[in-house]
Amino acid sequence: MNKKIKKILAIGVPILLFTALIISSFWGFGQKALADTYRESTRASYKRAFIELSENLDEMEATLSKLTVAGSKYQTALLLDDIWRLSGASVTVMAQIPSSHIDTYELNSFVVRCGDYARELMKSVISGKMPSERDVEQLAQLHNVCIKLRDDVSAKIASESIPSEPITNEEYFTASQAPKDNDSELKFPTLIYDGAFSESNERAEARGLTGSDVSADEALQKALEYAQGATLSLAGESNGSIPAYDFSGTTSAGMDIDVSVTKTGGKLLWLMSSSSGGESQRPDEDGAAKLRDAGLEYLSAHGYGSMTSTYAQYYAGCVLINYAAMQDDVILYSDLVKLWIDIDTGEIIGVDARNYLFSHIVRDLPEPEISEGEAREMVSKNLSVESIKLAYIPLTIQTERLCYEFKGKCGEQSYIIYIDAVSGEECKIFKIIDSDQGQLVI
């Protein structure tokens, strides 16, 4: 009997030990996988927080910049309110980032002071008092600090130097000690889309759509007119805000192309192909003018009335130009058509007519009740005006106003300010970002 027991133990114990080893190995692998998942989740969480913080600081910088050219109590109050909102949002985001991963003391000092200061100034503006010269100087200082902090956070994201490891309690309490005043290099004030109106203004109905319904075959003929030389076939139907027939095929150059034609009226809704892959840099002024003219010729040939080019962006061998409708020498910014034009060939390779189809009707434009000169007096003295035009701009989906459009500079920075031509109210302020890729308006 003892021999049998010994034999069983001799065989069974190694099996049990081997089984335990296998189980422990699987458990170990499982724990490692769990740890890796946690580490990646932590890193992703930190990265999201960094990106959101960077976006908040970027928006805060633009808003502080706009304050330098704000000339009305209404716009000043709105901008100050935005800064106060962004301050609170930034503090909330920073609570998600361990203080060893970023100098949260410096950032907190900035965003809290900036938000509190903006809040106090806003109360003063609401009561009827504009910021004093000292306030303007302090806002300018805050703006400079915001640029520095924004660039620091952006550089950390660009270099992907976002730590992936969570920190220990000891590290947290060591890192979270606030530095002394002389430890900080920044000096705080002692108490700071495509082009304008380029986003789709989708109304309850497309006001620019007229005519009777067309069949798929009729829409195909229209699509072939819009994409001359292309071979197309029906790919399906879209039944969104603007019902359309969708076609796909190839251009005469062998490029893929997609075209959408509205079921009502057979209007071009969307067209997109590819560039030739040629010139990708921004052309000189003569080259840019030829591209703008090519877009105007295309629009004229396809039934669009008076149009004017507004903003342009250059990338991937093509230029995206926004064209706005004109009525009585007034720019109708809601009635936009976006054209993508191949820089190398000058061919139209993309069209987005949604804004135009949603908005375009003949407007009952009011007569200006203040003169251009009177409107100029309402613009901030800090703006060196370079051009003035009349424009009909959207304030909401349902509301538009006739305004004087003032383009100019404050120092090296460009801005656009809109003054209501009837009431004299300062309606909108945009900051223009110039780059090799064109102009961005924020």
Side-chain angles (χ1 to χ4, degrees):
M1 188 63 139
N2 288 336
K3 289 182 179 180
K4 288 184 177 180
I5 293 174
K6 288 180 179 179
K7 187 176 182 180
I8 291 172
L9 290 175
I11 296 173
V13 170
I15 293 175
L16 288 173
L17 291 174
F18 180 74
T19 303
L21 178 62
I22 296 297
I23 292 172
S24 63
S25 296
F26 277 110
W27 182 86
F29 287 135
Q31 291 301 303
K32 183 180 184 302
L34 184 62
D36 289 343
T37 300
Y38 174 68
R39 186 177 294 107
E40 288 304 313
S41 177
T42 301
R43 178 177 175 79
S45 176
Y46 292 164
K47 186 172 184 178
R48 283 195 301 271
F50 267 97
I51 292 173
E52 188 173 346
L53 177 61
S54 176
E55 291 172 347
N56 286 343
L57 290 173
D58 198 45
E59 189 175 349
M60 186 178 288
E61 183 277 324
T63 306
L64 286 164
S65 176
K66 291 177 183 179
L67 273 171
T68 62
V69 293
S72 70
K73 296 182 179 68
Y74 175 73
Q75 278 295 319
T76 300
L78 286 180
L79 293 171
L80 290 169
D81 184 62
D82 280 344
I83 292 171
W84 180 59
R85 171 184 58 81
L86 289 165
S87 169
S90 297
V91 171
T92 300
V93 170
M94 280 187 287
Q96 304 170 33
I97 305 173
S99 57
S100 68
H101 294 1
I102 193 169
D103 193 343
T104 51
Y105 175 78
E106 183 180 86
L107 270 172
N108 265 301
S109 295
F110 169 73
V111 296
V112 170
R113 290 188 188 197
C114 200
D116 289 347
Y117 189 45
R119 181 69 167 171
E120 291 305 311
L121 284 179
M122 184 173 61
K123 292 178 182 177
S124 178
V125 171
I126 290 174
S127 67
K129 183 180 178 182
M130 287 288 284
S132 65
E133 288 186 10
R134 178 172 173 77
D135 290 326
V136 173
E137 291 174 0
Q138 292 183 349
L139 288 168
Q141 291 180 52
L142 286 170
H143 178 233
N144 291 334
V145 174
C146 187
I147 292 174
K148 203 271 183 188
L149 294 174
R150 177 205 60 187
D151 291 347
D152 287 348
V153 174
S154 296
K156 190 176 286 288
I157 295 172
S159 63
E160 296 188 351
S161 55
I162 300 172
S164 60
E165 299 294 337
I167 59 174
T168 64
N169 287 341
E170 181 179 353
E171 288 172 326
Y172 178 82
F173 287 115
T174 300
S176 62
Q177 297 300 314
K180 294 181 176 61
D181 291 343
N182 58 6
D183 290 337
S184 177
E185 296 180 357
L186 292 175
K187 303 299 182 184
F188 293 103
T190 54
L191 5 199
I192 249 206
Y193 301 178
D194 314 315
F197 316 116
S198 67
E199 296 304 314
S200 178
N201 291 315
E202 295 195 1
R203 303 168 185 270
E205 59 179 333
R207 303 192 304 178
L209 272 183
T210 58
S212 57
D213 290 348
V214 297
S215 67
D217 288 338
E218 290 172 326
L220 175 58
Q221 296 307 310
K222 293 285 186 181
L224 292 171
E225 293 175 12
Y226 294 126
Q228 291 185 354
T231 301
L232 298 171
S233 61
L234 183 65
E237 299 181 14
S238 300
N239 293 306
S241 301
I242 300 181
Y245 295 103
D246 301 324
F247 302 93
S248 62
T250 56
T251 67
S252 56
M255 300 289 189
D256 291 338
I257 186 171
D258 296 300
V259 184
S260 292
V261 174
T262 63
K263 292 183 178 181
T264 300
K267 307 291 186 181
L268 177 61
L269 178 64
W270 173 265
L271 181 152
M272 188 57 63
S273 182
S274 303
S275 70
S276 62
E279 181 64 49
S280 60
Q281 294 184 347
R282 184 173 181 175
D284 58 23
E285 183 51 41
D286 286 342
K290 290 179 180 178
L291 292 170
R292 292 194 296 268
D293 290 343
L296 288 173
E297 290 175 10
Y298 179 88
L299 292 171
S300 177
H302 290 87
Y304 291 90
S306 179
M307 305 286 288
T308 185
S309 61
T310 57
Y311 301 95
Q313 294 177 337
Y314 301 84
Y315 56 90
C318 71
V319 57
L320 166 60
I321 305 178
N322 287 330
Y323 291 87
M326 297 286 292
Q327 179 180 324
D328 300 332
D329 294 326
V330 177
I331 304 174
L332 307 179
Y333 272 116
S334 293
D335 302 8
L336 285 179
V337 179
K338 299 180 181 182
L339 294 186
W340 285 261
I341 307 174
D342 189 302
I343 296 176
D344 205 35
T345 66
E347 295 181 2
I348 308 303
I349 59 173
V351 182
D352 181 355
R354 289 174 298 174
N355 281 30
Y356 189 92
L357 295 178
F358 269 112
S359 301
H360 185 64
I361 57 171
V362 176
R363 307 305 205 283
D364 184 13
L365 298 174
E367 289 293 328
E369 293 188 12
I370 62 172
S371 67
E372 183 179 294
E374 290 171 325
R376 177 66 184 85
E377 291 299 314
M378 298 170 184
V379 174
S380 170
K381 305 302 180 184
N382 294 330
L383 188 76
S384 177
V385 177
E386 297 176 342
S387 69
I388 308 172
K389 296 179 181 178
L390 275 173
Y392 205 50
I393 69 170
L395 294 183
T396 68
I397 290 178
Q398 301 295 337
T399 306
E400 295 174 300
R401 288 193 192 178
L402 181 66
C403 294
Y404 289 103
E405 176 188 79
F406 292 89
K407 291 185 178 180
K409 289 189 174 181
C410 178
E412 296 299 315
Q413 181 60 60
S414 299
Y415 297 89
I416 310 172
I417 296 177
Y418 291 93
I419 303 295
D420 191 310
V422 176
S423 68
E425 176 188 350
E426 188 176 48
C427 292
K428 287 278 188 181
I429 299 176
F430 290 103
K431 180 179 178 181
I432 302 176
I433 306 298
D434 286 298
S435 70
D436 291 339
Q437 286 71 48
Q439 291 184 325
L440 296 176
V441 182
I442 59 176

